[in-house]
Amino acid sequence: MKQKGIRNADVAVLGGGPAGAAIALELLNRGYSTVVIERSDYRGARIGETLPPAIQPLLVRLGIWDRFLAEKHSQSFGIRSAWGVDELHENDFIFNPYGAGWHIDRARFDAMLARWAEKQGSAMYRNTRLVSCENQKCGKWKVEIAQGDQSHSFSTKFLVDATGRASYVSRKQGATRIAWDHLIGIVSFFLSPSRESPIDTSTLIEAVEGGWWYSAVLPNSGRVLAYMTDADLFARARNHSGDYWTRQLAATKYTRLRLENYSLASGPHIVPANSSRLDRVTGGNWLAVGDAAMAFDPLSGQGVFKALQSALSAAESLEKYWNGNNMALRDYAAAVEKDFSSYCLMRGVFYAREKRWPQSVFWQRRISAQIATGI
């Protein structure tokens, strides 16, 4: 393996998803050098989601709003839900000051953010494997990565953990991941027989006895469907039936109708979707952003939004810290904890609206969690 010389940077970011690329961009805008280390090449399938209308000011601040529009993601004009009642309830975005939301192709969205960070001056390493990450006595980090047949070393004064729920860096520093539940998503992608945009572009949420369903339109006129349930409930049911996902879909009232004439493209894929956070999100020369710091139930529809918001807040805190504000990182940590506590309250309120299956283990657990948190 060919060894290249050590490169210096102010900040090394491990993870090139939305949070990692966003903090690299924001730090560049503030005059700091950054290197982003991403294990993928952004070509694989990534679970998409609906962005709320309020994503616009964040993308404007990052300087990529026009580029985002040029990507031609599908607009979302509202959310329909069968939650707590059998009938559909509509919540449209017509009165939102930022207009419509968006159904995004996550792979394309993440790649766009990474390209823009690279164009603005960040060193971007894709398809890389982390070899070592050493916190040296001098207060700096030495990071070694492998990329193909070459290895690279970096010396950096600060490390950002943007490795998602894995929280790789933070855990290595002794932080502990606290999970509030064991929610997973069983996700499948479907192709449309027509390239024309479907008439119904809303996001659909449908509660069922064992969990709930999410479905949305994709930019290629396809659809993504996800069944959300607890990992142990899924494992137990799958042992009794190999077509568990299909049977659950057949039992829905509205979700299954969205697949008429659609064909399965890939899946089901199982992805973690639990609510969790780190017990501490920063140390003397590292911090966590995005899902690495705190991860939200997809029901909130806030995944990418919170990732970008977290990255921008972290970049601001870092600059204050380097300018002599010794409380800046502690304030960042306090803000993360407050944000997660507020989210847990809202999550509890929303889950409490569903009372149709009092004997369901899935919903009993949500009631118990609501009681435990005093909601």
Side-chain angles (χ1 to χ4, degrees), residues 3-65:
Q3 173 72 48
K4 291 203 169 183
I6 295 178
R7 174 172 179 167
N8 292 313
D10 292 320
V11 179
V13 182
L14 292 186
I23 192 170
L25 262 173
E26 184 66 8
L27 288 171
L28 283 168
N29 292 338
R30 293 170 181 267
Y32 302 99
S33 59
T34 61
V35 56
V36 179
I37 298 162
E38 166 61 24
R39 65 180 180 178
S40 77
D41 61 0
Y42 296 100
R43 294 180 184 177
R46 298 190 176 204
I47 305 304
E49 64 180 90
T50 302
L51 302 184
I55 200 72
Q56 181 177 338
L58 299 184
L59 297 181
V60 168
R61 177 172 167 179
L62 289 168
I64 56 172
W65 176 243

Side-chain angles (χ1 to χ4, degrees), residues 125-143:
Y125 290 84
R126 302 169 179 83
N127 274 336
T128 59
R129 177 176 60 86
L130 182 66
V131 176
S132 64
C133 187
E134 181 184 353
N135 195 350
Q136 298 179 306
K137 292 181 180 180
C138 63
K140 290 189 175 183
W141 290 90
K142 183 182 179 183
V143 181

Side-chain angles (χ1 to χ4, degrees), residues 287-300:
L287 60 72
V289 295
D291 281 356
M294 54 179 175
F296 299 92
D297 189 316
L299 187 61
S300 69

Side-chain angles (χ1 to χ4, degrees), residues 115-304:
R115 284 196 308 271
W116 184 238
E118 187 173 32
K119 186 174 181 179
Q120 294 301 102
S122 180
M124 181 70 62
Y125 290 84
R126 302 169 179 83
N127 274 336
T128 59
R129 177 176 60 86
L130 182 66
V131 176
S132 64
C133 187
E134 181 184 353
N135 195 350
Q136 298 179 306
K137 292 181 180 180
C138 63
K140 290 189 175 183
W141 290 90
K142 183 182 179 183
V143 181
E144 295 187 22
I145 62 171
Q147 186 183 47
D149 64 348
Q150 294 185 336
S151 63
H152 306 270
S153 295
F154 307 94
S155 178
T156 178
K157 65 180 181 181
F158 208 91
L159 203 63
V160 171
D161 185 353
T163 60
R165 282 180 164 88
S167 307
Y168 178 81
V169 175
S170 306
R171 286 179 168 181
K172 286 288 186 181
Q173 301 311 302
T176 301
R177 192 86 189 182
I178 305 170
W180 262 245
D181 57 65
H182 301 286
L183 190 73
I184 59 170
I186 303 101
V187 185
S188 290
F189 296 90
F190 293 82
L191 292 177
S192 168
S194 170
R195 301 300 295 178
E196 296 181 4
S197 299
I199 297 175
D200 179 10
T201 62
S202 61
T203 299
L204 176 63
I205 305 293
E206 182 175 2
V208 292
E209 184 173 3
W212 55 274
W213 285 85
Y214 161 93
S215 60
V217 175
L218 295 175
N220 61 0
S221 299
R223 289 196 185 276
V224 57
L225 263 70
Y227 177 53
M228 317 304 297
T229 189
D230 288 333
D232 63 321
L233 300 180
F234 170 70
R236 193 183 311 155
R238 188 175 58 174
N239 288 337
H240 289 87
S241 173
D243 62 347
Y244 174 71
W245 193 91
T246 304
R247 289 192 300 106
Q248 293 300 315
L249 177 62
T252 63
K253 184 176 182 180
Y254 304 103
T255 303
R256 60 187 173 83
L257 299 179
R258 306 194 101 186
L259 290 185
E260 291 183 350
N261 300 320
Y262 280 72
S263 59
L264 180 66
S266 68
H269 311 281
I270 300 175
V271 297
N274 63 318
S275 301
S276 60
R277 70 171 179 86
L278 290 173
D279 63 343
R280 59 189 182 99
V281 297
T282 184
N285 58 355
W286 64 270
L287 60 72
V289 295
D291 281 356
M294 54 179 175
F296 299 92
D297 189 316
L299 187 61
S300 69
Q302 299 283 304
V304 170

